[in-house]
Amino acid sequence: MKIKPELLAPAGNLEKLKMALIYGADAVYMGGKAFGLRAFSDNFDEAELEQGIRFAHSLGKKAYITINIFPHNNDLINLPDYLKYVAKIGADAIIVSDPGIFRIARQITPNLPIHISTQANNTNWSAVRFWQELGASRVVLAREISLADIKLIRQKVEIELEAFVHGAMCMSYSGRCLISNYLTGRDSNRGECAQPCRWKYHVMEESRPGVYLPVQEDERGTYIFNSKDLCLINHLPELIASGLSSFKIEGRMKSVHYVATVVKAYREAIDSYARSSVSADDQQKWLDELQKVSHREYTTGFYFNKTTAQDQIYASSSYMQTHDFIGLVRKYHAETGMAVVEQRNNMKVGETIEIMQPGAENFVQTITQMFDAEGNSIQVAPHPQQIVTMPVARPVVPYAMLRRPEIRRERA
């Protein structure tokens, strides 16, 4: 049996945390209401942080808390109390970018493991060894290095190494960008990035105000900073062989459907590669799954070559997906074959749906009947989070997801 790396998933809120772990993640990373680089995800208040950590530990899994902003002086005022709280509630590690936060954490919570964030831009073995010698337990490598770089770093250091395998890419060195600050006043290095790298840009010549010229001769304009999304699902053997300890999925601001689908695909892939039982059909199945969630076109990033124009998207900043998430199973009654479903998108009797659940094959069926909470037969469930009951073709478990295939489209 090959050594399997940890599968680390994003948790933007408590529901996403539960879905990530139920669908196969070994650990999650999440942020409180302060000190994290995803200020516009839901994030966790103190009670939710405790609940999330308890849930992870109840499954024998881990929870890491992000404290990865680049702080200014006033950000440090409440940091000691927050660190004490995070240690008290049993976080398995904190994720840190800034040496100042690292220093205070070592003083205040010396027994709390520290992971060095990708925001610290570690691109060489000497930088990684620097953090090792200071007492860090893991370094999340910069997304801007190659697989060959990772292998050399692994040979030179004795510390856990983590790397991203899936999700959005940044046009700057792992987030060190001031475009958002300049254009919107929102500090990307303190969790408030407005993602102006995804916007459409034109050029205006000084003597012709109001005349906007496309940077690229294309009637749709151009998105000059807009990267494709990272996807390494079919390159996991090389990553496993490189000695990485953890495979990280990006996406604390992504949907529940995104988190569950991506985690399940990578869980199956990691387990299959560890057994050396992977076929071309398996690889295609995982890629097909990753097409079902909202995403940009995929790239392998910096892992195998320097990036080129082929790793960017110049015509649009839209997302694409092949399926809509329409319902979440809350209960299943084996004696009747009926599932209690919480509606997440308009669904109707007669529609063909796919049901995905952890640890089992997806299956397709038609919605033949639906009943509302009072037991009345209904043809459509139009209300958000409406509770309906319907027959399902196979047994399902809580947190199984209903999704509706559709013609492939782009989403703004």
Side-chain angles (χ1 to χ4, degrees), residues 130-356:
F130 167 82
W131 290 112
Q132 174 186 315
E133 291 170 352
L134 285 180
S137 59
R138 178 184 296 183
V139 169
V140 188
L141 297 171
R143 280 175 275 198
E144 295 76 23
I145 64 173
S146 68
L147 183 62
D149 291 327
I150 293 173
K151 291 178 180 178
L152 179 58
I153 291 170
R154 176 72 284 163
Q155 294 171 11
K156 296 279 190 177
V157 302
E158 296 178 0
I159 188 173
E160 292 184 358
L161 299 178
E162 178 179 305
F164 281 91
V165 297
H166 195 92
M169 296 285 283
C170 184
M171 55 78 63
S172 297
Y173 253 101
S174 293
R176 292 208 179 192
C177 178
L178 289 174
I179 298 177
S180 179
N181 304 52
Y182 180 75
L183 294 179
T184 71
R186 286 164 43 174
D187 191 340
S188 55
N189 298 302
R190 297 166 83 184
E192 299 176 349
C193 184
Q195 292 196 318
C197 54
R198 310 295 184 187
W199 299 352
K200 181 189 289 188
Y201 289 91
H202 291 77
V203 172
M204 186 182 74
E205 200 273 323
E206 183 179 13
S207 65
R208 289 184 285 174
V211 179
Y212 299 100
L213 307 173
V215 179
Q216 180 178 318
E217 291 298 330
D218 187 304
E219 69 278 4
R220 292 169 295 180
T222 184
Y223 297 79
I224 56 178
F225 305 124
N226 191 27
S227 174
K228 295 181 179 179
D229 284 355
L230 182 67
C231 178
L232 293 171
I233 191 90
N234 288 338
H235 296 281
L236 298 188
E238 299 101 305
L239 298 180
I240 292 171
S242 73
L244 288 170
S245 305
S246 180
F247 290 171
K248 189 170 194 172
I249 297 168
E250 183 275 338
R252 277 192 285 154
M253 295 179 68
K254 299 290 190 178
S255 69
V256 169
H257 178 219
Y258 177 96
V259 171
T261 301
V262 175
V263 166
K264 185 182 180 187
Y266 276 88
R267 176 79 280 153
E268 291 180 2
I270 291 170
D271 292 347
S272 296
Y273 282 122
R275 293 191 300 267
S276 299
S277 57
V278 174
S279 67
D281 288 343
D282 289 329
Q283 292 183 324
Q284 188 58 52
K285 178 186 73 171
W286 298 325
L287 279 175
D288 289 343
E289 279 297 295
L290 297 175
Q291 299 295 333
K292 293 175 182 178
V293 298
S294 181
H295 69 286
R296 297 179 181 90
E297 293 179 55
Y298 288 130
T299 174
T300 56
F302 294 82
Y303 277 83
F304 301 103
N305 50 261
K306 291 184 178 180
T307 56
T308 68
Q310 300 306 310
D311 297 290
Q312 301 293 115
I313 306 171
Y314 296 106
S316 170
S317 63
S318 297
Y319 293 86
M320 52 190 171
Q321 66 184 62
T322 64
H323 287 61
D324 279 331
F325 170 39
I326 61 171
L328 186 66
V329 173
R330 292 303 186 189
K331 295 180 183 177
Y332 173 70
H333 300 290
E335 64 278 7
T336 61
M338 302 290 283
V340 178
V341 176
E342 179 182 308
Q343 186 260 45
R344 294 297 179 93
N345 205 329
N346 185 299
M347 54 185 175
K348 302 175 182 178
V349 171
E351 289 182 326
T352 298
I353 63 170
E354 181 181 53
I355 298 182
M356 176 184 75

